């Protein structure tokens, strides 16, 4: 994958304050006369782990079916393409810290942990004893179907202001931090009118 970021080049780019990474306030640009320098790197990587279970019934007494369930987890440091041209609408647009790409590791934008697919074919039993034109019209009919059920992809909220303090113009691609005492387990309410607690 190709990763793009639009961070100014600081002498000391970031620090941790109370466990939260942030741009050092008042940090000087490494090359002040150049302003912002866009950087692209191909250093992203991904990891996928999955388990697939299946069941199958061969054609017997006019019925056959097959079902497959996959439980998986996909993580990476980058899921999308170039900024503004991402393969996934929910992909982040730029790195928080260009010097620490591993900081970007999280669920892939295409991570679907649960996926179930079922298909079946049933040969209709009527008309088996008919011959001639009636038999040609009535025999051999079947009913079939495919069902797919899966969980959704991760949700990545974005903010529209320069919270990182890095003076970049792409502020709509910055991500918020968890509020104190909040985390992924208690931030999702599951309500239709307010799926997550802002």
């Amino acid at each position: 994958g190709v990763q793009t970021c639009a961070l100014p080049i600081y002498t000391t780019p970031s620090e941790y304050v109370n466990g939260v990474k942030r741009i050092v306030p008042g940090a000087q640009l490494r090359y002040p006369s150049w302003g912002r320098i866009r950087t692209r790197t191909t250093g992203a990587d991904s990891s996928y782990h999955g388990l697939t279970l299946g069941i199958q019934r061969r054609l017997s007494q006019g019925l056959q079916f097959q079902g497959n369930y996959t439980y998986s987890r996909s993580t990476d440091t980058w899921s999308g393409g170039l900024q503004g041209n991402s393969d996934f609408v929910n992909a982040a647009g730029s790195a928080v810290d260009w010097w620490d790409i591993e900081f970007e590791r999280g669920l892939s934008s295409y991570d679907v942990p649960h996926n179930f697919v079922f298909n079946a074919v049933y040969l209709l039993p009527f008309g088996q004893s008919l011959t001639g034109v009636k038999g040609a019209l009535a025999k051999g009919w079947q009913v079939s179907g495919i069902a797919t059920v899966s969980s959704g992809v991760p949700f990545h909220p974005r903010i529209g202001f320069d919270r990182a303090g890095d003076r970049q113009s792409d502020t709509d691609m910055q991500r918020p931090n968890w509020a104190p005492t909040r985390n992924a387990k208690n931030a999702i309410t599951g309500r239709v009118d307010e799926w997550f607690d802002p």
Side-chain angles (χ1 to χ4, degrees):
V2 176
Q3 181 154 356
T4 181
C5 64
L7 299 177
I9 306 302
Y10 294 102
T11 304
T12 307
S14 61
E15 66 182 359
Y16 280 90
V17 177
N18 297 325
V20 177
K21 178 172 278 200
R22 66 180 184 129
I23 300 299
V24 176
Q28 297 299 311
L29 293 173
R30 184 170 293 172
Y31 306 106
S33 61
W34 290 4
R36 188 169 68 167
I37 300 172
R38 287 194 178 272
T39 305
R40 291 182 181 168
T41 178
T42 56
D45 65 6
S46 62
S47 175
Y48 174 86
H49 300 279
L51 169 70
T52 300
L53 302 173
I55 186 170
Q56 179 179 17
R57 173 186 165 133
R58 299 183 191 280
L59 185 61
S60 174
Q61 298 176 336
L63 176 66
Q64 74 177 29
F65 61 80
Q66 180 178 11
N68 288 296
Y69 169 75
T70 301
Y71 175 70
S72 64
R73 181 176 178 91
S74 178
T75 60
D76 60 33
T77 56
W78 189 255
S79 293
L82 296 177
Q83 186 171 339
N85 189 24
S86 176
D87 297 331
F88 305 96
V89 175
N90 61 337
S94 60
V96 172
D97 184 353
W98 184 85
W99 289 269
D100 185 10
I101 298 302
E102 193 59 31
F103 182 73
E104 299 295 315
R105 182 164 301 282
L107 291 177
S108 302
S109 294
Y110 48 82
D111 179 60
V112 178
H114 303 282
N115 190 45
F116 177 72
V117 179
F118 182 82
N119 64 73
V121 176
Y122 178 63
L123 301 176
L124 297 175
F126 58 79
Q128 299 302 319
S129 61
L130 297 176
T131 59
V133 175
K134 289 182 181 180
L137 294 175
K139 287 194 288 189
W141 288 91
Q142 64 185 27
V143 176
S144 61
I146 299 175
T148 302
V149 180
S150 63
S151 52
V153 295
F155 169 70
H156 299 283
R158 298 180 186 150
I159 56 178
F161 61 94
D162 187 12
R163 182 170 195 263
D166 61 9
R167 295 175 282 174
Q168 65 175 342
S169 62
D170 310 315
T171 57
D172 62 329
M173 292 299 182
Q174 291 187 26
R175 300 180 299 275
N177 284 343
W178 291 112
T181 74
R182 305 301 282 176
N183 58 45
K185 292 181 181 176
N186 61 20
I188 303 300
T189 66
R191 297 194 307 265
V192 174
D193 60 333
E194 188 176 71
W195 186 256
F196 70 98
D197 181 356

